[in-house]
Amino acid sequence: MRDWLRVLLLVFSVWLSPALAECVDVRGELTQGAWLRFESSNISAVRFNEQLLPLIDDRLSWVGLGRDSALDNKLRVTFTDGRICEQPIVLRAREYKVSVVEGVPQRTVTPPQEDFERIRREGALVRAAKQQVYECDACIEQLLSATQMPLTGRISGVYGSQRIYNGKPGNPHYGLDIARPTGTPVSAPVMGLVVLAEPDLYYSGGTVIIHHGYGVTSSFLHMSQVSVRVGDMVAQGDKIGEVGATGRATGPHLDWRMNFRDNRVDPNTLFSLVPAP
């Protein structure tokens, strides 16, 4: 009888303290600026630190981390039977290089006074597009299993690097630059709703923003041609524009960026969410 009670008490203690085991399956690069995917079953809520995360079908959640995210984090998962599990998420600090860019149009480095109103107006337009409330479970399912780039080519700029434009320090670079000749087609890597399509923004030139739902957006910058309109629903692989060198650029390339809510996330880390075959 004593052995039976001991086993029962052990099982009960594990049920009360699920942190002894992993709460959910975690996929992704455990580093700053990364996409992370969380999956289990019978989940009712997921919190990353104090942030309540989206949840699909009581099983799938995710977070996109910023460039300078804290290294020590806590994942708190509540299950539909009332159990609560806490799991540490410890990130690796990233080292960001300094990127010196010469030859960009000087007016995009030190804008003249008469351009300030245009810059302010376009910035508000971009923010409003990204902040739209939109839900698309199928888009997110595809996003969290993404394997397709918007185009292939030489990587000419990476996420997080500190930029110096024509000798003047600027903001960090928040995208993945892919160099290809002007006119090379750019495709949607994941399905979603077009929430911005502008042929000539001050800094980013020809720009398309696709909303994938739940605060997740992709931005495609410096294009020579925009092939979609606001309100279009694009499928994975649909053409959305063509490579160019518009806005603040020195040569033809695509600058691909992603956001999760207010966090600017490295798009290249999406491909770490899919397990290797």
Side-chain angles (χ1 to χ4, degrees), residues 177-192:
D177 288 344
I178 307 169
R180 288 296 297 274
T182 296
T184 303
V186 177
S187 301
V190 177
M191 67 187 296

Side-chain angles (χ1 to χ4, degrees), residues 114-209:
E114 59 267 25
D115 289 343
F116 285 178
E117 175 55 28
R118 176 186 173 187
I119 292 169
R120 186 203 63 77
R121 184 176 66 252
E122 291 179 354
L125 187 68
V126 169
R127 287 191 297 274
K130 292 179 180 179
Q131 291 170 0
Q132 289 188 36
V133 176
Y134 176 62
E135 296 182 359
C136 177
D137 291 8
C139 301
I140 293 296
E141 291 271 11
Q142 193 176 82
L143 176 94
L144 297 179
S145 301
T147 58
Q148 181 172 316
M149 299 275 282
L151 78 166
T152 58
R154 178 176 63 87
I155 303 302
S156 57
V158 295
Y159 170 92
S161 58
Q162 178 63 51
R163 283 287 171 90
I164 298 177
Y165 296 103
N166 295 353
K168 182 178 180 179
N171 292 326
H173 185 244
Y174 289 106
L176 181 69
D177 288 344
I178 307 169
R180 288 296 297 274
T182 296
T184 303
V186 177
S187 301
V190 177
M191 67 187 296
L193 177 69
V194 176
V195 291
L196 185 138
E198 292 288 332
D200 184 28
L201 296 184
Y202 191 87
Y203 286 118
S204 57
T207 303
V208 168
I209 298 179

Side-chain angles (χ1 to χ4, degrees), residues 188 190-194 210 228 232-236 238-240:
V190 177
M191 67 187 296
L193 177 69
V194 176
I210 298 176
V228 291
D232 286 350
M233 187 70 189
V234 294
Q236 185 180 57
D238 283 355
K239 180 181 176 180
I240 60 173

